[in-house]
Amino acid sequence: MLQQKQALLDVRVQRDVRVPMRDGVTLSADLYLPETEQPVPAIVVRSPYGKAGEFVHHTAPYFAARGYGFVSMDVRGRGDSDGKFIPYINEGADGHDSIEWAAAQPWCDGAVGTMGGSYLARIQWLTALTQPPHLKAMISTVTPSDPFVETPTGVPGPQHLCWLYMTSGRVMQDVDVIDWEAVYWHLPLMTMDEKTGKSLPRWREEVEHSRLDDWWRRIAYQERFHELDLPVLHISGWYDDEQVGTPLNYVGMTTRAKTEFGRKHQKLVMGPWPHQVNRSTRLGELDFGPQSLIDLNGLQLRWFDRWLKGEANGVAEEPPVSIFVMGENRWRQEREWPLRRTRWIPYYLHSGGRANSRFGDGRLSTEVPGEEPSDRYSYDPAHPVPFITDPTSNQIGGPDDYSAVERRDDVLVYTTPPLEEALEVTGPIRMRLFASSSARDTDFMVKFLDVWPNRFAQRLTDGMVRGRFRNGMDRPELLEPGQVYEYEIDCWNISHLFQKGHRIRVEVASSAFPKYDRNLNTGAELGQGTEMVVAEQTVFHDREHPSAIILPVIPRG
């Protein structure tokens, strides 16, 4: 439904307004206020990246001119705000106090919403759990998950160090002065910060807490949706490197929110975007077309107009799920996620025992395996399989071409014949892998790809498991060398149309560096050692061990 065009209001700005927290610390905020005599709703954005950055420059005047007071705040210890920055720890209480401060201002009518992406999104959830009375709605974009959901390794991914370095002072640190590729090779992981030339105690704390414990649970929120009943607009992209959190949060709120009101009023938008959503039609070598960009500010305005101003603008009655189907390159509206009409089809691994590299005999099909030889490879942590990415933490991976990486013998490759008709895969991807190792601990990585007729091997999504955490991130247990284990691997989500003539491919390896740290295969305490052991890996795909990737296939038409 189109909104009626409204006259824009003039906007005045008040800078470095001091906002008191409950412990006496004051935080700095810039206020963007419409020139009107009537009180208006407030939008609160809290950021470690600077309260006057690019996001605010494009967003705050837009909302203020349309009748909102926009509060852009430096989080504790960053920018002009007092206190010490400790990622996430103070954000729940500080967010609560900031919302209630805004609601009490004479220019505010008492209704407050929050918005923002990445760190700004996760702290909205931590704030919402403190139950601020005046918080009425949220817009949560590219939201990080709970600890170890995105990186189920027990230790932070190497590129997380780049983020910690970037936010290690009161202002943004220049990450381009660091040779990050050299940094990521440093062992032990515990002292990797030394290679930056700067001591980063937070890095060492995170490495030290190498399982899901109470230290991590302080900043967890995804097991607590039952405490919330807010309308939330969830936004991400299929190539967002923190993508998994957004569909998880949508499903969590639609199924477990405290009230029927909360469960009913959620909206999910997934585009063909990286972590910086809705910026370009192009990503890597692909162009998703002009329709891939949307009027994002307009969508967010309608959300707040409905839930902060009470306007009956139709946003609550529209289909709640908007997905961009890559390959077909068009948007589609749905009523739920995952889709009810999904056919969950296993695609089984097959080979004659030589699936090593794309030149091997690995095959992928819906045929259930019989008696087949297993596939073997050696994983050497000194020579890990590369994950194609820029070295900084701004964006980890994309629709990159893995055909060159697939020349390696420590990458098992399984591929379908060319498809005789188009096939849509939309939903969460899971891998069921039967494997053994000579090591006490090791990793198994799975990558899901679309192979074009010109042999371009487009990464769609991927996932991994660390052997010791096969039973959960809070229950590490080393492997018995040579024993076959069944691993369930979360490969996140996708919406993609494999065109006729394309092929579906699955890779299996034991490293994806530097997206994940290298498992040294010794079974020693994580993050502490430098000793490496070569692991002999075996992947099984026979009648008793039917390794398969489970695809959410959507019937066409």
Side-chain angles (χ1 to χ4, degrees):
M1 180 181 295
L2 296 175
Q3 286 188 302
Q4 292 182 348
K5 191 172 183 178
Q6 62 184 82
L8 300 183
L9 301 170
D10 291 334
V11 177
R12 69 181 188 275
V13 183
Q14 300 176 18
R15 301 199 185 277
D16 194 25
V17 177
R18 308 308 297 186
V19 181
M21 299 294 103
R22 65 189 66 180
D23 61 356
V25 170
T26 64
L27 307 186
S28 177
D30 290 347
L31 306 185
Y32 297 76
L33 302 176
E35 293 285 8
T36 176
E37 298 298 321
Q38 300 299 319
V40 296
I43 298 171
V44 173
V45 172
R46 306 180 61 255
S47 173
Y49 306 125
K51 63 181 181 295
E54 181 185 4
F55 167 76
V56 174
H57 175 73
H58 290 289
T59 307
Y62 176 90
F63 282 97
R66 290 160 177 81
Y68 290 90
F70 198 99
V71 181
S72 179
M73 178 182 290
D74 290 325
V75 299
R76 180 182 295 242
R78 295 283 292 160
D80 295 322
S81 289
D82 295 337
K84 181 180 180 181
F85 178 61
I86 306 173
Y88 298 113
I89 296 302
N90 298 297
E91 304 297 8
D94 286 354
H96 182 288
D97 294 351
S98 302
I99 287 168
E100 295 308 300
W101 174 87
Q105 300 309 298
W107 51 262
C108 183
D109 66 6
V112 182
T114 58
M115 68 185 303
S118 197
Y119 188 96
L120 290 67
R122 188 174 180 182
I123 66 177
Q124 291 182 68
W125 292 96
L126 297 175
T127 296
L129 290 171
T130 70
Q131 307 293 334
H134 292 90
L135 178 61
K136 305 302 180 184
M138 303 195 313
I139 299 176
S140 181
T141 304
V142 294
T143 312
S145 289
D146 280 355
F148 305 130
V149 173
E150 295 157 21
T151 309
T153 56
V155 289
Q159 290 172 277
H160 178 59
L161 181 65
C162 177
W163 185 86
L164 290 174
Y165 180 93
M166 181 177 66
T167 58
S168 60
R170 285 200 164 269
V171 297
M172 299 288 277
Q173 306 297 295
D174 185 0
V175 298
D176 293 330
V177 302
I178 305 296
D179 182 357
W180 289 107
E181 293 184 2
V183 169
Y184 300 147
W185 284 95
H186 175 83
L187 291 175
L189 202 67
M190 174 66 77
T191 60
M192 197 169 76
D193 59 332
E194 291 178 355
K195 292 290 288 184
T196 70
K198 190 172 189 176
S199 175
L200 297 168
R202 175 71 182 193
W203 169 260
R204 301 191 182 202
E205 280 189 288
E206 294 191 15
V207 173
E208 180 182 359
H209 291 272
S210 59
R211 69 175 70 183
L212 183 59
D213 56 15
D214 290 340
W215 190 87
W216 285 111
R217 287 190 175 95
R218 300 175 299 170
I219 60 173
Y221 68 93
Q222 288 177 314
E223 296 301 318
R224 300 176 63 185
F225 293 126
H226 63 278
E227 301 176 29
L228 303 174
D229 62 355
L230 291 166
V232 182
L233 171 56
H234 310 255
I235 304 169
S236 188
W238 300 123
Y239 283 105
D240 171 23
D241 51 42
E242 296 186 298
Q243 175 240 88
V244 64
T246 297
L248 282 177
N249 294 346
Y250 176 80
V251 171
M253 286 296 288
T254 55
T255 60
R256 306 203 308 274
K258 185 177 181 179
T259 65
E260 177 63 21
F261 174 82
R263 293 189 291 272
K264 181 179 179 181
H265 296 303
Q266 306 295 313
K267 187 173 181 64
L268 175 66
V269 178
M270 298 294 296
W273 307 318
H275 198 57
Q276 300 292 329
V277 302
N278 203 47
R279 297 289 184 89
S280 172
T281 66
R282 292 194 63 85
L283 186 55
E285 298 183 38
L286 302 185
D287 192 322
F288 294 103
Q291 71 280 2
S292 63
L293 298 182
I294 64 174
D295 178 10
L296 186 57
N297 271 345
L299 172 64
Q300 295 176 130
L301 177 66
R302 293 184 67 219
W303 189 255
F304 282 143
D305 282 350
R306 174 63 184 89
W307 301 116
L308 300 186
K309 292 185 176 180
E311 294 184 4
N313 58 13
V315 72
E317 289 73 42
E318 296 168 355
V321 175
S322 297
I323 56 175
F324 188 89
V325 184
M326 299 187 298
E328 190 174 25
N329 291 350
R330 71 177 183 92
W331 287 95
R332 194 170 70 218
Q333 313 305 309
E334 297 287 353
R335 288 288 177 185
E336 71 284 316
W337 182 269
L339 311 186
R340 290 193 185 95
R341 64 185 183 279
T342 302
R343 297 174 57 204
W344 301 96
I345 299 180
Y347 276 69
Y348 297 96
L349 309 187
H350 298 274
S351 82
R354 299 183 304 279
N356 311 77
S357 86
R358 62 184 171 93
F359 306 111
D361 64 359
R363 295 177 292 109
L364 191 68
S365 79
T366 58
E367 178 186 356
V368 178
E371 295 305 315
E372 293 187 11
S374 55
D375 289 305
R376 293 175 171 81
Y377 63 96
S378 298
Y379 160 49
D380 184 352
H383 302 285
V385 175
F387 185 86
I388 301 171
T389 184
D390 290 334
T392 69
S393 59
N394 291 334
Q395 170 66 30
I396 303 175
D400 303 297
D401 181 4
Y402 274 82
S403 58
V405 174
E406 293 167 350
R407 299 175 70 92
R408 297 173 57 121
D409 283 343
D410 56 354
V411 179
L412 303 181
V413 179
Y414 305 89
T415 312
T416 67
L419 297 176
E420 296 181 357
E421 57 184 25
L423 182 75
E424 182 184 333
V425 177
T426 293
I429 309 293
R430 298 287 186 273
M431 182 76 191
R432 183 175 65 239
L433 185 72
F434 293 88
S436 68
S437 176
S438 64
R440 297 301 310 280
D441 187 33
T442 197
D443 294 345
F444 289 100
M445 275 72 177
V446 172
K447 195 176 288 101
F448 180 53
L449 309 98
D450 178 350
V451 183
W452 295 40
N454 63 3
R455 298 184 181 178
F456 176 80
Q458 176 190 349
R459 168 186 168 263
L460 296 174
T461 187
D462 58 85
M464 66 86 65
V465 63
R466 178 150 289 175
R468 73 174 68 193
F469 293 118
R470 63 195 180 278
N471 298 318
M473 296 305 302
D474 58 343
R475 291 178 290 159
E477 181 183 350
L478 294 179
L479 302 173
E480 187 67 35
Q483 181 171 330
V484 181
Y485 294 96
E486 180 180 350
Y487 297 102
E488 292 287 336
I489 302 176
D490 182 355
C491 296
W492 297 16
N493 306 267
I494 201 68
S495 182
H496 183 76
L497 184 70
F498 289 84
Q499 294 285 0
K500 179 181 178 180
H502 287 224
R503 293 178 291 161
I504 303 170
R505 176 169 289 171
V506 169
E507 294 176 13
V508 178
S510 288
S511 48
F513 183 75
K515 181 177 182 178
Y516 304 106
D517 72 295
R518 294 168 288 164
N519 195 321
L520 304 186
N521 296 329
T522 64
E525 189 72 19
L526 292 173
Q528 310 294 332
T530 60
E531 178 189 358
M532 302 182 194
V533 174
V534 175
E536 301 301 329
Q537 317 289 55
T538 305
V539 171
F540 297 84
H541 43 80
D542 53 45
R543 183 175 291 108
E544 295 181 3
H545 310 99
S547 293
I549 191 165
I550 315 302
L551 299 185
V553 174
I554 307 301
R556 300 294 289 174

